[in-house]
């Protein structure tokens, strides 16, 4: 056998290892327990000092883990003598927050948002026709009454338009769709291009379209509600595209 000194020595190479932060480990464990239902909504997590003792982690780590869960909408942090971290189950607000961050972070254009609405909202209308109740119908009619009043300022029209579209999603009684449409509708409302072409004629067309869709939802006619919503959101998207194209031509000229 060759002498050890004669053996070729090759340097050992290891790949970099990603070690999770302690706060992420704790947050992940608590998150899974909450989502599995081990900690029902409203449950008070152990006080910070007790969590430090139980987990053998630092106070800073425990606080950071709770802050992560708070941002994710899984716990509510209350201050004061009766304060602490209280479990809450994620709902439509959590979906809306996540989608809103995606929209803003990627700086999605209005046309992208309108295309997404074309794909989703007709389904919302169809479900709304199946599951709506009297309160849902009243909310849709109240929002559309504001839309139909041409004396209202533009901002009031736009907000009522958002309220109506979110109201359709709410009437579907599907929390996932409601959260998604809440973020989408608010993003469309905030768009500068969306305000560029709204005149009295657009308001009249919008009011009429909303009324026919609301009528179908009230009647429980899913096919008609889906069909009418498809026509409405597609027509709106086409109008926005035309405005954008005209604006680009004017800029080039």
């Amino acid at each position: 056998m060759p002498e050890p000194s004669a053996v070729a020595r090759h340097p050992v190479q290891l790949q970099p290892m990603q070690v999770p932060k302690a706060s992420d480990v704790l947050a992940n464990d608590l998150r899974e327990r909450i989502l599995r239902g081990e900690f029902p909504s409203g449950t008070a997590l152990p006080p910070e000092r007790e969590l430090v003792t139980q987990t053998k982690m630092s106070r800073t780590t425990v606080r950071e883990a709770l802050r992560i869960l708070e941002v994710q909408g899984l716990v509510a942090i209350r201050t004061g003598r009766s304060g602490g971290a209280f479990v809450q189950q994620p709902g439509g607000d959590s979906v809306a927050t996540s989608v809103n961050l995606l929209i803003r972070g990627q700086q999605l254009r209005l046309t992208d948002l309108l295309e997404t609405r074309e794909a989703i909202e007709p389904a919302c209308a169809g479900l709304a026709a199946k599951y709506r109740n009297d309160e849902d119908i009243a909310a849709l009619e109240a929002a559309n009454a504001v839309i139909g009043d041409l004396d209202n300022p533009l901002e009031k029209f736009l907000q009522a338009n958002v309220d109506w579209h979110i109201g359709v999603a709410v009437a579907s009684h599907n929390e996932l769709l409601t959260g998604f449409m809440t973020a989408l509708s608010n993003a469309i409302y905030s768009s500068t291009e969306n305000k560029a072409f709204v005149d009295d004629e657009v308001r009249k067309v919008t009011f009429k379209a909303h009324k026919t869709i609301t009528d179908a939802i009230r009647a429980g006619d899913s096919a008609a509600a889906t069909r009418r919503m498809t026509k409405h959101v597609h027509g709106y998207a086409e109008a926005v595209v035309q405005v954008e194209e005209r604006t680009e031509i004017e800029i080039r000229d």
Side-chain angles (χ1 to χ4, degrees):
M1 291 185 60
E3 295 294 328
S5 59
V7 177
R9 295 185 179 275
H10 298 286
V12 176
Q13 294 186 344
L14 299 177
Q15 296 296 320
M17 298 179 66
Q18 297 293 328
V19 181
K21 293 172 59 179
S23 57
D24 289 336
V25 173
L26 178 56
N28 289 342
D29 180 67
L30 291 172
R31 184 190 305 110
E32 287 305 310
R33 289 170 179 265
I34 291 171
L35 294 177
R36 286 200 301 264
E38 292 183 27
F39 303 143
S41 184
T43 300
L45 293 179
E48 185 179 288
R49 183 180 302 175
E50 190 175 334
L51 283 173
V52 169
T53 301
Q54 290 181 10
T55 63
K56 308 300 182 185
M57 294 180 176
S58 69
R59 177 164 292 188
T60 300
T61 296
V62 168
R63 285 179 177 175
E64 189 173 345
L66 292 177
R67 196 176 302 118
I68 291 171
L69 296 176
E70 182 182 26
V71 170
Q72 294 172 344
L74 294 173
V75 301
I77 308 296
R78 302 175 194 165
T79 58
R81 295 182 60 183
S82 59
F86 296 84
V87 173
Q88 58 184 18
Q89 292 297 331
D93 290 346
S94 300
V95 177
T97 299
S98 298
V99 174
N100 181 56
L101 289 174
L102 172 64
I103 291 171
R104 296 183 63 186
Q106 295 296 320
Q107 298 181 353
L108 299 180
R109 296 179 59 192
L110 178 58
T111 49
D112 297 323
L113 305 180
L114 293 175
E115 286 171 352
T116 305
R117 187 169 75 172
E118 280 191 72
I120 295 174
E121 197 162 18
C124 290
L127 290 173
K130 292 176 63 177
Y131 301 118
R132 81 282 179 266
N133 56 35
D134 292 343
E135 185 178 344
D136 298 325
I137 296 299
L140 293 176
E141 290 180 335
N144 208 32
V146 176
I147 290 169
D149 187 348
L150 300 181
D151 291 331
N152 284 324
L154 175 61
E155 291 301 323
K156 195 167 184 178
F157 163 83
L158 292 172
Q159 184 58 60
N161 194 37
V162 170
D163 293 342
W164 186 87
H165 282 277
I166 293 176
V168 172
V170 170
S172 76
H173 292 272
N174 182 304
E175 279 203 62
L176 186 58
L177 287 174
T178 299
F180 201 96
M181 286 305 304
T182 297
L184 197 59
S185 297
N186 282 320
I188 292 172
Y189 163 78
S190 301
S191 173
T192 302
E193 302 101 297
N194 184 46
K195 304 173 184 178
F197 73 105
V198 176
D199 54 21
D200 284 355
E201 185 58 31
V202 169
R203 294 194 189 199
K204 292 176 183 177
V205 170
T206 301
F207 172 79
K208 182 178 179 181
H210 286 190
K211 184 179 184 306
T212 62
I213 296 167
T214 301
D215 288 344
I217 291 174
R218 181 193 294 105
D221 191 339
S222 293
T226 301
R227 184 176 63 255
R228 293 172 187 178
M229 181 66 84
T230 299
K231 181 180 179 181
H232 171 51
V233 294
H234 180 69
Y236 197 86
E238 280 192 330
V240 171
V241 170
Q242 290 174 4
V243 170
E244 284 191 334
E245 290 175 347
R246 284 203 306 271
T247 302
E248 290 175 0
I249 292 173
E250 289 172 1
I251 292 174
R252 287 199 301 268
D253 292 344

